[in-house]
Amino acid sequence: MRGMSILPYTHKHVQAIRAYKPGKPINETARELHMDPDDIVKLASNENPLGASPTAIQAMKHATQGVNLYPDGSAYELRSKIATRYGVSIEQVVAASGSSELIELLCHTCLGPGSELVAARYSFTMYPLMCQLFGATFVEVENKPDWSHDLQAMLRAISPRTRIVFITNPTNPVGTMVQQAELDEFMSQVPEHVIVAFDEAYIHFAEPQPDTLRYVQRGQNAVMMRTFSKAYGLAGVRAGFAITTEEIAGLLNKVRSPFNTSSLAQAAASVALDDEQHLRDSVQLVRSEMRRYERAFNDLGLSYIPSQGNFVLVKVGDGERVYRECLKRGVILRPMSGYGLSEYIRISIGTAEQNIRCLRVLEAALREIALQK
Ligand SMILES: *Cc1c(COP(=O)(O)O)cnc(C)c1O
């Protein structure tokens, strides 16, 4: 017997959501291609190809002994470490299971029907998704011709209904940045009723790195969001944190679930913060391998968007087609048609070996497509 559909009794705005589409997983690809998962290279989700810090892995192994117990719901050790590191009070630090959760928590505190969120067109797809989830309006602001956030246009997009502005720095998927002077200017003009969220998932790869904590320390309604998923190599563990005013931190702590960060995540993240060598190695790898891609794109006559992240957008013609051709050859990249950038694909920077293979496969894919024309 087939039951009655429950949809008429659920939120209309939830029904309309198209779920977030992550990079294609290795195992799924291996099954479809009848390949060994070890022969597949995934450069689709901006992960750290060096893996996590060995000391963080050790800490997780140790922490498995206590997994029958609930984690510390206040994540005290992790938060106090972060507070000391950044020179803030522990009451200003919120721990979460990745910065996606922080984004959701922030939206939960102040978005609803009739309210608005402002973000750049080329920034994280989580923001419009959250607007749909909470029935709020997403106000998309066109990027500048150089693909960076247009902060002045974002200021003009703010209305009395605006609750949050997201500044993604460097921004995904294009990899551009806004610098300190522009941020200072923006923060001196932004109305007080708006929360400014700095999504700094890729900040470690950038140079220079603007200081956004200063706005929090001045008491402005700003939130600095960081994640352990990218430079720290802990995407599978789910850990991130926010530093903000005590008032906003208190609100975020009210909406989060009581045990939102697992004991393994807390253990790994606390230790990862101290492994500066691993962080430096990870950043160094990305910077030098980025040069390899830039040289190769120049040689192939492909244009690309200079990136300050651990990923790069390259213009390949038919992005979906190139994605499929590379996939057939065991390299998973990220097509960009979801962003309206159907001529581009996004490549996450891997190890030297992975990048060499990726470039070889990309070249073969482009050749194949040219032959079929
Ligand atoms: C990857 C990413 C995040 C965070 O991901 P989590 O794994 O949830 O911490 C946040 N913002 C942007 C722009 C990202 O690309």
Side-chain angles (χ1 to χ4, degrees):
M1 191 185 94
R2 192 159 175 279
M4 180 196 78
S5 168
I6 204 67
L7 282 180
Y9 301 92
T10 61
H11 291 306
K12 282 258 175 323
H13 53 266
V14 172
Q15 293 169 29
I17 292 177
R18 270 189 293 150
Y20 178 80
K21 202 162 170 246
K24 198 174 172 70
I26 288 181
N27 283 336
E28 187 182 310
T29 310
R31 275 196 306 275
E32 289 171 10
L33 295 175
H34 307 290
M35 274 177 78
D36 185 342
D38 290 340
D39 293 333
I40 290 176
V41 171
K42 180 183 177 215
L43 299 174
S45 300
N46 304 340
E47 293 143 334
N48 185 335
L50 296 182
S53 150
T55 54
I57 291 170
Q58 207 49 48
M60 281 190 282
K61 281 188 184 147
H62 184 71
T64 55
Q65 289 167 21
V67 290
N68 55 315
L69 303 180
Y70 278 99
D72 173 3
S74 74
Y76 180 83
E77 206 178 298
L78 174 60
R79 285 168 57 237
S80 63
K81 234 176 172 156
I82 293 165
T84 308
R85 160 69 66 94
Y86 291 94
V88 297
S89 77
I90 190 167
E91 287 77 22
Q92 292 179 269
V93 182
V94 181
S97 90
S99 47
S100 327
E101 190 193 17
L102 292 165
I103 294 165
E104 179 170 353
L105 296 178
L106 187 62
C107 292
H108 217 142
T109 62
C110 52
L111 288 191
S115 63
E116 297 172 356
L117 180 154
V118 172
R121 166 148 191 203
Y122 299 118
S123 61
F124 204 25
T125 47
M126 274 283 291
Y127 318 142
L129 198 69
M130 285 301 119
C131 287
Q132 279 190 300
L133 187 56
F134 295 107
T137 304
F138 181 63
V139 178
E140 181 180 275
V141 178
E142 205 49 61
N143 294 53
K144 293 204 278 197
D146 70 358
W147 302 89
S148 66
H149 281 40
D150 188 340
L151 293 187
Q152 288 305 311
M154 289 175 82
L155 274 177
R156 289 193 297 275
I158 292 171
S159 82
R161 294 176 299 282
T162 307
R163 296 291 170 265
I164 309 171
V165 176
F166 271 97
I167 297 179
T168 319
N169 215 24
T171 189
N172 181 10
V174 289
T176 55
M177 279 204 88
V178 276
Q179 298 303 340
Q180 191 78 56
E182 268 182 277
L183 292 171
D184 285 349
E185 177 71 17
F186 177 88
M187 290 306 287
S188 70
Q189 294 177 52
V190 70
E192 281 186 319
H193 73 276
V194 174
I195 297 175
V196 182
F198 297 98
D199 183 341
E200 300 182 339
Y202 302 101
I203 197 76
H204 296 98
F205 303 107
E207 185 60 45
Q209 296 169 13
D211 165 28
T212 50
L213 219 45
R214 65 170 66 167
Y215 312 124
V216 174
Q217 294 303 61
R218 273 180 211 151
Q220 286 192 271
N221 291 315
V223 185
M224 181 187 94
M225 293 178 177
R226 297 281 178 99
T227 177
F228 289 94
S229 297
K230 308 290 161 60
Y232 290 103
L234 288 165
V237 173
R238 314 303 305 131
F241 65 92
I243 300 180
T244 181
T245 62
E246 287 189 19
E247 184 177 53
I248 295 174
L251 290 164
L252 297 177
N253 273 319
K254 272 200 247 189
V255 279
R256 72 178 174 85
S257 72
F259 303 107
N260 65 328
T261 51
S262 73
S263 43
L264 299 190
Q266 290 180 33
S270 301
V271 170
L273 268 182
D274 289 332
D275 192 345
E276 295 188 4
Q277 188 58 47
H278 184 262
L279 185 64
R280 266 199 303 276
D281 291 347
S282 305
V283 169
Q284 191 44 48
L285 175 75
V286 165
R287 290 197 185 142
S288 63
E289 287 299 308
M290 184 70 85
R291 302 290 92 79
R292 180 196 302 280
Y293 278 104
E294 291 172 350
R295 278 194 307 272
F297 296 154
N298 288 333
D299 290 347
L300 292 167
L302 299 174
S303 67
Y304 61 91
I305 303 174
S307 169
Q308 298 255 36
N310 62 344
F311 52 85
V312 61
L313 273 194
V314 58
K315 198 171 182 180
V316 290
D318 183 345
E320 286 286 342
R321 184 108 184 264
V322 170
Y323 161 75
R324 284 196 308 272
E325 288 294 331
C326 291
L327 192 63
K328 274 198 253 170
R329 294 163 170 87
V331 175
I332 312 172
L333 304 175
R334 195 75 166 262
M336 288 283 116
S337 34
Y339 278 100
L341 294 169
S342 57
E343 293 184 284
Y344 288 83
I345 45 168
R346 193 187 67 192
I347 305 176
S348 306
I349 310 302
T351 61
E353 189 189 353
Q354 291 174 328
N355 300 329
I356 289 166
R357 163 127 178 246
C358 170
L359 283 164
R360 204 180 299 133
V361 160
L362 177 64
E363 212 182 327
L366 291 170
R367 208 177 313 118
E368 169 88 16
I369 292 168
L371 282 176
Q372 287 174 13
K373 270 198 184 129

